[in-house]
């Protein structure tokens, strides 16, 4: 019956197959029950996946009904035999259960289910033959089957029934096991997921989980089978998004509400050191490239980017499967990852977390042409070659090989296009051939040494290596324009004997051209090369040239990627060029993408040889960005001398200018009117440019320094322009007076620090790596003299990192200054008094730049936000700053460092420049999301309790309460017999003692700042000073002023490195006499009496209290005690643990934040 049924099915032909597929789509829609209704609702929504199925279903409805009737007759003839097989085989349990469930939906569904049930029965002998044939065939139409079989992944138990028990049960999917012919021989509705599964349609780790979740337990009773089948059907209806999505879905508009405060919307620039791939061309031109740590799928016609985000380090490798469905990316750095993505959905289907335990990352990577295996080469000193079965639920490689150091750093890797067990890689000096014997867990390799004596000619350094079209040779391109031809010697395979491993041997050196070959690949029947002069040449299998493109005037070729769509056959209207053979046949080749060393990307349409420049991006570091004050324009400057202006709303390039060689753009700033653009360069010059044409507005540029101009700032009326340069110069800051469109140098400042200058109406402020804040009076200044109004130190022990004007949220005018200690300080603009010290964002490094987000409307003025960047992140903070950790968020924007930041004029977008990663990222700001997080975090002190060890109910808070109330007793006298006054406050004089009792040791200057913060907290509103504090306010003050990472040895070690000497053990130490002298003479020095009292308390010689009792110590006795208690040499560890008795950690923990 089985063979007869398949014979009838094959006679139906392709049209009958389409009708079956329509029925397979129709059956799930008719399923009843709650899950069935859910499935029907989902399918009522527009889904491009069903476009090719629904139309044939309506047109061929009558033919489909006739086919069902023929299948029902076949079912009735073999009903008895089918029932016996169902009782014996566990696989048939699900089929019977589905049949019983579908009886409730109608007679038509019962007939269909019964017929399909009969067809899916496979006899053991036929099963073995089928498996043998399937294993030897490779699917050539994987992407086509995704449109024909959108719902064929519904079976869950058929894989064990069609596969021997000793087969690899853990494998989620055999990517080359099924052919199109076998797919036509399978039931369209109950197709085994392991057989029909297309290699490029399902995420492998999702398939494994889905298979385990969907397999019901086998039961003997009919009622139990029905329940099990119902659960199975309910699970089958929830298909994976990866398996049902088509390639047109990726660029559909996302109408969902934002879920992140900062959302990446666009990336300017691309990493030209990595390949660019031609993903699709049929309906829309889609490219794939890398920008910093983000993978970008770019639709050229729609001008739309889709971002694949998941890497925390710069991406070092990228490769793509032959059918352009699966992408593999890897990075370098700590916690490096290897991620496999689905190009249809953008979903990461598999992640390898421990690819490099050493943390060095991946240097080279390749994916097999059938997408079953992934090969990687690490970037460690001793490189490892790993082959991963990424389609399995495993986190370890299937095979690993360590390469000797003498092979050099292998930087290129590729698979044999017809044998996924063979690979080739090369360094600059060594080519290696690999043969993987999976059954023996062996990765054999052959790496013959090639020298100039081998061919008695100069070979040159290798660039790339590929397998020859004849598959018996390997070709290695060199920077001397030559090809090394390697013969592959494969021993005859035998099941019983093993004659040795295959190896390669150099047989020929072919001098193809004069130019260095940078790219070597194959397409169709051609071998293709790209060289350093921008030439692209095509050779046949005999290495005879067929055609070339040398008139395109390109720079050095970095990458070539051909369309997966074959070239259109020539017609009368075609304009293909002739090849260079004697026959002069038309040279028909696929369209392709060209990436060059100057970060330019081209598209070449071979029919007519039409070269289209897709985009030109900076080839060097991008450090300068600035947004127009009232238009959606952003200016981007690069060290290569290029300035580009974009419309960031329409994502459209407008105009650019490239300066002469040696002029690298370091800083850019628009003036408040938006008419001028100030540009600072790396060699110290400053240009004033027209904002719309980028032409010079001043006849000659300013030149006051020989080092980079790091900052430019205009006054509010554009009358003054201040610049700051690197600190390695005698003239770190200059000020110019602008007269209309021209600029005249007015002032030259010699004593300001190298940081951003921030101006207001009649004054200018600057702060930098040194602590003082300097205020200048511009109205009383003249040439070569800048009047200094005030010099004020902002901090003790830390240095300021950035400064901005605080928005008018209060009645006081503040300057907000961030420092290197992760603190945010508010200084009164008039008195320069530190009014508040607050805990700033702690995300691995201090804030380096901050700007207040412009308000979009008058209604948003009471709610303001601060956008900031640190070493590698961009963040958003709700103002006013109060230390609430829920008010702050940050995301990695440039792993190798952020070089600059700019905000759009309407406050909708933030832009970050990545420096050496050659990218600028546009972030959409969704402040409502952060506001929601704050509301979820709790009110009043609830967010602050989470910052304490153990929370409010923990031991630390209970001790804090005890110390607080004990301080009340102390202030009234411990031994007093008078009636005590019960209060919720303590006087300010007791605050330092409570701080030190709980482990925070502020300096005298910090104590003074704390006192001022509390005393003047309500002075502006009430005119009264505060002289006491309650416990909730004390908790806020403590959390905001304490060190962000607790007491650590790092700061003490730095002090001992400056003050001490290196002892015999190689440690930094201070002699006892010098140590005591430093305490009474340097810094916030003590008196001798205070010092002796402190040591007496530390050594346990004093009773409780700050001052010692007269009867317990004397000066002479204390001196003798110090000589006995203190060692001759004091190290950082002795001082921290032996003298102070602290329990502190070794590191600061900053990197982990």
């Amino acid at each position: 019956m089985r063979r007869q049924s398949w014979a009838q099915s094959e006679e139906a032909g392709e049209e009958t197959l389409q009708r079956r597929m329509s029925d397979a789509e129709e059956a799930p829609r008719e399923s009843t029950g709650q899950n069935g209704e859910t499935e029907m609702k989902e399918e009522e929504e527009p889904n491009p996946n069903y476009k090719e199925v629904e139309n044939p279903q309506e047109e061929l409805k009558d033919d489909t009904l006739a086919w069902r009737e023929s299948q029902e007759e076949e079912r009735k003839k073999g009903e008895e035999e089918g029932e016996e097989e169902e009782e014996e085989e566990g696989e048939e349990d699900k089929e019977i259960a589905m049949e019983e469930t579908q009886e409730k939906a109608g007679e038509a569904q019962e007939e269909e289910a019964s017929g399909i049930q009969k067809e899916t029965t496979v006899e053991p002998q036929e099963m073995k033959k089928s498996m043998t044939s399937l294993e030897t065939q490779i699917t050539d139409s994987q992407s086509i089957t995704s449109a024909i079989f959108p719902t064929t992944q519904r079976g869950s138990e058929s894989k064990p029934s069609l596969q021997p028990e000793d087969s690899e049960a853990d494998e989620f999917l055999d990517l080359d096991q099924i052919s199109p012919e076998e797919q036509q021989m399978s039931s369209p509705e109950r197709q085994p997921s392991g057989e029909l599964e297309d290699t490029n349609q399902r995420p492998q780790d999702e398939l494994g989980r889905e298979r385990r979740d969907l397999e019901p337990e086998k039961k003997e009773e009919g009622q139990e089978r029905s329940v099990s089948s119902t659960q199975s059907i309910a699970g089958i209806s929830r298909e994976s998004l990866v398996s049902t999505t088509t390639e047109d879905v990726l660029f559909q508009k996302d109408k969902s509400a934002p879920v992140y405060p900062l959302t990446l919307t666009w990336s300017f620039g691309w990493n030209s050191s990595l390949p660019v791939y031609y993903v699709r061309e049929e309906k829309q031109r889609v490219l794939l490239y890398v920008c910093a740590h983000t993978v970008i799928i770019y639709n050229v016609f729609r001008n739309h980017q889709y971002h694949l985000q998941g890497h925390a380090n710069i991406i070092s490798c990228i490769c793509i499967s032959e059918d352009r469905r699966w992408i593999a990316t890897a990075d370098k750095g700590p916690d490096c990852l290897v991620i496999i993505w689905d190009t249809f959905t953008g979903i990461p289907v598999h992640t390898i977390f421990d690819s490099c335990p050493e943390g060095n990352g991946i240097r080279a990577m390749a994916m097999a042409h059938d997408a079953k295996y992934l090969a990687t080469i690490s970037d460690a000193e001793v490189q490892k070659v790993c082959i991963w079965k990424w389609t399995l639920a495993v986190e370890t490689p299937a095979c690993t090989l360590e390469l000797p150091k003498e092979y050099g750093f292998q930087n290129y890797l590729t698979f044999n296009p017809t044998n996924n067990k063979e690979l080739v890689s090369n360094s600059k000096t060594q080519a290696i051939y690999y043969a993987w014997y999976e059954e023996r867990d062996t990765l054999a390799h052959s790496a013959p040494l090639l020298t100039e004596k081998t061919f008695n000619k100069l070979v040159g350094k290798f660039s790339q290596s590929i397998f020859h079209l004849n598959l018996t040779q390997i070709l290695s391109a060199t920077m001397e324009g030559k090809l090394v031809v390697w013969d592959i010697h494969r021993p005859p395979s035998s099941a019983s004997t093993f004659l040795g491993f295959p190896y390669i041997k150099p047989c020929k050196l072919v001098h193809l051209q004069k130019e260095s070959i940078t790219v070597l690949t194959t397409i169709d029947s051609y071998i293709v090369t790209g060289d350093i002069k921008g030439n692209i040449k095509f050779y046949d299998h005999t290495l005879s040239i067929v055609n070339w493109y040398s008139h395109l005037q390109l720079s050095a070729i970095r990458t070539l990627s051909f369309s997966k769509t074959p070239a259109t056959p020539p017609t009368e209207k075609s304009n293909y060029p002739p090849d260079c053979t004697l026959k002069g046949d038309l040279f028909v080749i696929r369209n392709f993408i060209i990436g060059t060393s100057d970060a330019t990307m081209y598209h070449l349409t071979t029919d007519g040889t039409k070269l289209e420049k897709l985009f030109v991006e900076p080839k060097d570091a991008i450090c300068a960005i600035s947004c127009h004050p009232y238009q959606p324009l952003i200016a981007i400057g690069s060290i290569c001398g290029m300035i580009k202006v974009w419309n960031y709303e329409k994502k459209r390039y407008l105009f650019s200018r490239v300066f002469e060689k040696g002029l690298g753009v370091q800083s850019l700033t628009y003036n408040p009117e938006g008419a001028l653009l100030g540009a600072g360069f790396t060699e110290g010059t400053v240009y004033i440019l027209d904002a719309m044409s980028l032409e010079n507005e001043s006849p000659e540029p300013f030149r006051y320094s020989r080092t980079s101009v790091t900052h430019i700032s205009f006054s509010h009326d554009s009358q003054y322009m201040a610049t700051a340069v690197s600190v390695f110069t005698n003239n770190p800051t200059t000020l110019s007076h602008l007269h209309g469109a021209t600029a005249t140098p007015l002032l030259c400042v010699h004593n300001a620090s190298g940081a951003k200058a921030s101006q207001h109406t009649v004054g200018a402020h600057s702060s930098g790596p040194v602590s003082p804040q300097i205020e200048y009076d511009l109205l009383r200044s003249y040439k070569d003299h800048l009047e200094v109004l005030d010099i004020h130190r902002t901090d003790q022990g830390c240095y300021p990192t950035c400064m901005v004007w605080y928005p008018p949220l209060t009645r006081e005018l503040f300057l907000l200054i961030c420092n290197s200690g992760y603190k945010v300080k508010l200084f009164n603009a008039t008195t320069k008094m530190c009014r508040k010290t607050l805990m700033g964002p702690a995300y691995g490094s201090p804030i380096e730049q901050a700007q207040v987000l412009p308000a979009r409307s008058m209604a948003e003025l009471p709610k303001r936000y601060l956008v900031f960047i640190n070493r590698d992140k961009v963040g958003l903070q709700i103002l006013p700053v109060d230390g609430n950790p829920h008010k702050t968020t940050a995301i990695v924007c440039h792993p190798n460092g952020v070089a600059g930041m700019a905000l759009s004029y309407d406050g909708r977008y933030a832009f970050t420049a990545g420096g050496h990663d050659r990218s600028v990222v546009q972030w959409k700001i969704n402040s409502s999301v952060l506001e929601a997080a704050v509301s979820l975090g709790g009110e009043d002190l609830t967010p602050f309790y989470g910052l304490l060890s153990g929370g409010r109910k923990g031991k630390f808070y209970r001790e804090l309460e005890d110390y607080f109330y004990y301080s009340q007793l102390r202030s009234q006298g411990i031994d007093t017999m008078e009636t005590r006054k019960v209060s919720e406050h303590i006087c300010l004089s007791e605050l330092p003692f409570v701080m030190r009792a709980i482990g925070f040791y502020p300096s005298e200057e910090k104590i003074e700042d704390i006192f001022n913060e509390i005393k003047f907290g309500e002075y502006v509103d009430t005119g009264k000073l505060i002289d006491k504090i309650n416990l909730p306010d004390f908790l806020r003050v403590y959390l905001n002023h304490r060190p962000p990472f607790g007491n650590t040895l790092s700061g003490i070690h730095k002090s001992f490195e400056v003050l001490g000497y290196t002892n015999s053990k190689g440690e930094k130490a201070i002699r006892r006499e010098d140590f005591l002298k430093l305490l009474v003479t340097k810094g916030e020095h003590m008196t001798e009496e205070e010092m002796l009292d402190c040591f007496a308390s530390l050594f346990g010689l004093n009773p409780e209290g700050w001052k010692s009792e007269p009867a317990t110590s004397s000066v002479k006795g204390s001196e003798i005690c110090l000589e006995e208690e203190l060692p001759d040499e004091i190290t950082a560890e002795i001082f921290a643990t032996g003298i102070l008795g602290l329990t502190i950690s070794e590191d600061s923990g900053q990197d982990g934040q």
Side-chain angles (χ1 to χ4, degrees), residues 173 470 659 700 720 784 796 826 845 976:
L173 186 62
N470 58 25
F659 290 83
E700 294 293 334
Y720 295 95
D784 294 333
Q796 184 184 37
L826 298 181
S845 60
T976 183

Side-chain angles (χ1 to χ4, degrees), residues 645-669:
V645 178
W646 289 75
N647 184 316
Y648 54 76
E649 285 188 350
K650 297 182 179 180
K651 312 299 187 295
R652 183 179 300 170
Y653 157 72
L654 298 179
F655 48 87
S656 64
R657 177 180 175 180
V658 180
F659 290 83
E660 62 188 46
K661 188 176 181 181
L663 290 178
V665 183
Q666 184 69 38
S667 56
L668 290 172
T669 302

Side-chain angles (χ1 to χ4, degrees), residues 125 142 235 306 471 542 676 678 720 722 786 790 804 846 1001 1007 1027 1055:
Q125 295 180 356
Q142 295 171 343
Y306 189 91
L471 304 179
T542 64
L676 302 176
Y720 295 95
L786 191 59
D790 183 53
V804 294
Y1001 307 97
I1007 291 175
D1027 59 355
S1055 300

Side-chain angles (χ1 to χ4, degrees), residues 234-460:
I236 291 174
S237 65
R238 298 189 298 269
E239 288 196 59
S240 166
L241 181 63
V242 177
S243 66
T244 58
T245 305
T246 62
E247 58 187 24
D248 296 327
V249 178
L250 188 64
F251 294 101
Q252 291 182 354
K253 292 185 178 180
D254 186 10
K255 298 181 181 180
S256 60
V259 295
Y260 301 107
L262 295 168
T263 304
L264 193 157
T265 60
W266 195 264
S267 292
F268 303 90
W270 67 293
N271 188 350
S272 58
S273 302
L274 296 180
V276 55
Y277 291 103
Y278 207 152
V279 180
R280 288 191 290 276
E281 188 188 19
E282 295 87 351
K283 300 179 182 179
Q284 48 193 356
R285 186 182 299 167
V286 180
L287 310 180
L288 174 72
Y289 57 92
V290 171
C291 184
H293 65 304
T294 305
V295 184
I296 298 176
I297 303 177
Y298 177 55
N299 190 315
V300 178
F301 296 152
R302 296 185 182 180
N303 192 30
H304 183 78
Q305 290 182 352
Y306 189 91
H307 305 97
L308 306 181
Q309 302 179 79
H311 291 278
N313 305 304
I314 294 293
I315 295 177
S316 59
C317 301
I318 183 172
C319 62
I320 193 169
S321 60
E322 183 69 16
D323 61 353
R324 306 297 198 270
R325 179 65 193 270
W326 310 107
I327 305 169
T329 57
D331 60 53
K332 291 182 181 179
D335 300 324
C336 56
L337 300 176
V338 175
I339 305 178
I340 292 87
W341 313 82
D342 172 30
T343 61
F344 284 8
T345 62
I347 295 176
V349 296
H350 189 64
T351 302
I352 302 173
F353 292 95
D354 297 324
S355 59
C356 294
E358 305 88 1
N360 298 305
I362 304 298
R363 191 180 184 93
M365 182 170 58
M367 183 177 288
H369 285 237
D370 57 4
K372 290 179 66 174
Y373 307 117
L374 182 71
T376 61
I377 300 180
S378 65
D379 196 36
E381 185 176 357
V382 178
Q383 290 185 295
K384 290 183 180 180
V385 182
C386 299
I387 298 179
W388 306 83
K389 293 183 179 180
W390 67 272
T391 61
L392 306 183
V394 294
E395 294 295 333
T396 56
C399 191
T400 303
L401 173 67
E402 288 192 1
L403 300 178
K405 294 182 180 180
E406 53 266 22
Y407 288 174
F409 283 103
Q410 302 291 308
N411 50 30
Y412 187 79
L413 179 67
T414 186
F415 273 91
N416 187 332
T418 60
N419 184 355
N420 56 20
K421 303 300 175 65
E422 292 185 342
L423 305 92
V424 62
S425 70
N426 67 260
S427 63
K428 293 182 178 180
T429 58
Q430 190 85 46
I432 307 176
Y433 163 76
Y434 308 88
W436 180 29
Y437 292 89
E438 184 177 2
E439 63 281 357
R440 296 182 175 87
D441 293 331
T442 302
L443 184 61
H445 73 285
S446 174
L449 182 62
L450 188 65
T451 63
E452 297 181 5
K453 297 181 179 179
T454 305
F455 300 106
N456 291 325
K457 293 181 179 180
L458 178 63
V459 177

Side-chain angles (χ1 to χ4, degrees), residues 1 22 36 91 117 120 135 170 174 236 277-278 280 326 343 381 450 454 530 598 843 868 987 995 1009 1104 1134:
M1 294 298 296
S22 300
E91 174 62 26
Q117 169 193 338
T120 55
E135 291 176 353
D170 291 334
D174 262 343
I236 291 174
Y277 291 103
Y278 207 152
R280 288 191 290 276
W326 310 107
T343 61
E381 185 176 357
L450 188 65
T454 305
D598 59 354
Y843 295 103
F868 62 88
C987 59
M995 290 281 189
D1009 289 341
E1104 297 181 8
I1134 294 175

Side-chain angles (χ1 to χ4, degrees), residues 912-938:
T912 57
H916 292 287
D917 66 14
R918 294 166 286 178
S919 69
V920 173
V921 180
Q922 179 179 350
W923 304 90
K924 185 176 182 180
I925 298 174
N926 308 305
S927 57
S928 59
V929 178
L930 188 57
E931 295 282 358
V934 174
S935 62
L936 293 175

Side-chain angles (χ1 to χ4, degrees), residues 9-36:
S9 177
E10 290 176 343
E11 292 174 0
E14 183 176 357
E15 294 181 359
T16 304
L17 176 62
Q18 295 178 354
R19 300 187 192 111
R20 293 185 185 181
M21 297 305 100
S22 300
D23 295 338
E25 292 297 327
E26 184 178 355
R29 299 173 189 173
E30 299 173 355
S31 60
T32 59
Q34 183 178 358
N35 294 322

Side-chain angles (χ1 to χ4, degrees), residues 173 180 258 316 378 452 481 498 583 596 698 728 831 883 988 996:
L173 186 62
S316 59
S378 65
E452 297 181 5
F498 184 66
K583 294 182 180 181
T596 61
S698 57
F728 306 104
T831 64
L988 292 186
R996 296 181 179 115

